[in-house]
Coordinates of all heavy atoms in Angstrom, one line a residue:
N55 N -40.7 -10.0 -51.6 CA -40.7 -8.8 -50.7 C -40.2 -7.7 -51.6 O -39.1 -7.7 -52.1 CB -39.9 -9.0 -49.5 CG -40.5 -10.0 -48.4 OD1 -41.7 -9.8 -48.0 ND2 -39.7 -10.9 -48.2
R56 N -40.9 -6.6 -51.5 CA -40.6 -5.4 -52.3 C -39.8 -4.3 -51.3 O -39.1 -3.6 -51.8 CB -41.9 -4.7 -52.8 CG -41.6 -3.4 -53.5 CD -40.7 -3.5 -54.8 NE -41.4 -4.1 -55.9 CZ -40.9 -4.5 -57.0 NH1 -39.6 -4.1 -57.2 NH2 -41.5 -5.1 -57.9
K57 N -40.0 -4.5 -50.0 CA -39.4 -3.5 -49.0 C -38.7 -4.5 -48.0 O -38.9 -5.7 -47.9 CB -40.5 -2.7 -48.4 CG -41.1 -1.8 -49.2 CD -42.1 -1.0 -48.6 CE -42.7 0.1 -49.4 NZ -43.6 1.1 -48.6
G58 N -37.9 -3.8 -47.2 CA -37.1 -4.5 -46.1 C -36.6 -3.6 -45.0 O -36.5 -2.4 -45.3
H59 N -36.5 -4.2 -43.9 CA -35.8 -3.4 -42.8 C -34.3 -3.4 -43.0 O -33.7 -4.5 -43.0 CB -36.1 -4.0 -41.4 CG -37.6 -4.0 -41.1 ND1 -38.1 -2.9 -40.4 CD2 -38.6 -4.7 -41.2 CE1 -39.4 -3.0 -40.1 NE2 -39.8 -4.2 -40.7
Y60 N -33.6 -2.2 -43.1 CA -32.2 -2.2 -43.2 C -31.5 -1.8 -42.0 O -32.1 -1.0 -41.1 CB -31.9 -1.0 -44.3 CG -32.1 -1.5 -45.7 CD1 -33.3 -1.7 -46.2 CD2 -30.9 -1.7 -46.5 CE1 -33.5 -2.0 -47.6 CE2 -31.2 -2.0 -47.8 CZ -32.4 -2.1 -48.4 OH -32.6 -2.5 -49.6
A61 N -30.5 -2.4 -41.7 CA -29.7 -2.2 -40.4 C -28.2 -2.2 -40.8 O -27.7 -3.0 -41.8 CB -29.9 -3.3 -39.4
F62 N -27.4 -1.2 -40.2 CA -26.0 -1.1 -40.4 C -25.3 -1.3 -39.0 O -25.6 -0.8 -38.1 CB -25.8 0.3 -40.9 CG -24.3 0.6 -41.1 CD1 -23.6 0.0 -42.2 CD2 -23.7 1.6 -40.3 CE1 -22.3 0.3 -42.4 CE2 -22.3 1.9 -40.6 CZ -21.8 1.3 -41.6
L63 N -24.3 -2.3 -39.1 CA -23.5 -2.6 -38.0 C -22.1 -2.5 -38.1 O -21.5 -2.7 -39.2 CB -23.7 -4.2 -37.6 CG -25.2 -4.5 -37.3 CD1 -25.5 -5.7 -38.3 CD2 -25.4 -5.0 -36.0
R64 N -21.3 -2.0 -37.2 CA -20.0 -1.8 -37.1 C -19.4 -2.7 -36.0 O -19.8 -2.6 -35.0 CB -19.4 -0.3 -36.9 CG -19.8 0.7 -37.8 CD -19.4 2.1 -37.6 NE -19.6 2.9 -38.5 CZ -20.5 4.0 -38.4 NH1 -21.0 4.3 -37.3 NH2 -20.8 4.9 -39.4
S65 N -18.5 -3.5 -36.4 CA -17.9 -4.5 -35.4 C -16.4 -4.5 -35.4 O -15.7 -4.1 -36.3 CB -18.4 -5.9 -35.6 OG -17.9 -6.3 -37.0
D66 N -15.8 -5.0 -34.2 CA -14.4 -5.2 -34.1 C -14.3 -6.6 -33.6 O -14.6 -7.0 -32.4 CB -14.0 -4.2 -32.9 CG -12.5 -4.3 -32.8 OD1 -11.8 -5.0 -33.5 OD2 -12.0 -3.7 -31.8
A67 N -14.0 -7.6 -34.4 CA -14.1 -9.0 -34.1 C -13.2 -9.7 -34.9 O -12.7 -9.3 -36.0 CB -15.6 -9.5 -34.4
P68 N -12.7 -10.9 -34.4 CA -11.9 -11.8 -35.2 C -12.7 -12.4 -36.3 O -13.8 -12.5 -36.2 CB -11.4 -12.8 -34.1 CG -12.4 -12.8 -33.1 CD -12.9 -11.4 -33.0
A69 N -12.0 -13.0 -37.3 CA -12.7 -13.6 -38.5 C -13.6 -14.6 -38.1 O -14.7 -14.7 -38.8 CB -11.7 -13.9 -39.5
P70 N -13.3 -15.6 -37.2 CA -14.2 -16.6 -36.8 C -15.5 -16.2 -36.3 O -16.6 -16.8 -36.6 CB -13.4 -17.5 -35.9 CG -12.0 -17.2 -36.1 CD -11.9 -15.8 -36.6
A71 N -15.5 -15.1 -35.5 CA -16.6 -14.6 -35.0 C -17.6 -13.9 -36.0 O -18.9 -14.2 -36.0 CB -16.4 -13.5 -33.9
V72 N -16.9 -13.3 -37.0 CA -17.8 -12.7 -38.0 C -18.3 -13.9 -39.0 O -19.5 -13.8 -39.5 CB -16.8 -11.9 -39.0 CG1 -17.6 -11.3 -40.3 CG2 -16.5 -10.6 -38.1
Q73 N -17.5 -14.9 -39.2 CA -18.1 -16.1 -40.0 C -19.2 -16.7 -39.3 O -20.2 -17.1 -40.0 CB -16.9 -17.1 -40.2 CG -15.9 -16.5 -41.2 CD -14.7 -17.5 -41.3 OE1 -14.5 -18.4 -40.6 NE2 -13.7 -17.1 -42.2

Side-chain angles (χ1 to χ4, degrees):
N55 291 306
R56 179 63 72 184
K57 295 182 179 185
H59 290 272
Y60 281 70
F62 178 68
L63 304 122
R64 292 181 178 118
S65 66
D66 182 10
V72 173
Q73 290 171 353

